[in-house]
Amino acid sequence: MFEAECQVVRNLAKKGNCVIVGRCADYVLRNSGNCLKVFFSAPLVSRIRRVAQRQNISEGEAKATVKKNEKLRADNYRYYTRRMWGVAGNFDLSLNTDFGEEFIENRIRSAMKL
């Protein structure tokens, strides 16, 4: 299944501008020259608060959910790529989502002009 996903990611990237979230796309497209690889992060407290609000659960439950999901992501990424998830060197740009959508959009647009 992973190989099929990789092929879809490569095909989408070849067709033109696209945004791919997850799917180890930074790894799959690591040799693509015309590609901007962006990692989004936020402080743990912000992620917990966001999950608690979205899922209408306590902050304690949200913390457990965040930790569980991050472990699953990291394990999946390491299994398929033999890399550590979230390492800045795997990306062209790493952005803290606490800065807001406008800031993030402006930074990505600026990076795309380089």
Side-chain angles (χ1 to χ4, degrees), residues 21-32:
V21 179
R23 308 286 142 303
C24 301
D26 66 295
Y27 177 78
V28 174
L29 299 173
R30 68 192 178 280
N31 297 320
S32 298

Side-chain angles (χ1 to χ4, degrees), residues 2-3 5 13 15 19 27-28 35 37 44 47-49 63 65 70 73 78 83 95-96 109 112:
F2 180 71
E3 280 305 315
E5 286 181 353
K15 288 182 181 179
V19 175
Y27 177 78
V28 174
C35 180
K37 295 177 278 306
L44 179 60
R47 297 190 314 264
I48 291 169
R49 211 175 301 125
K63 182 176 182 178
T65 299
E70 288 184 358
R73 283 187 187 112
R78 187 175 8 225
R83 292 175 161 186
L95 294 167
N96 180 338
R109 286 183 187 278
M112 289 171 58

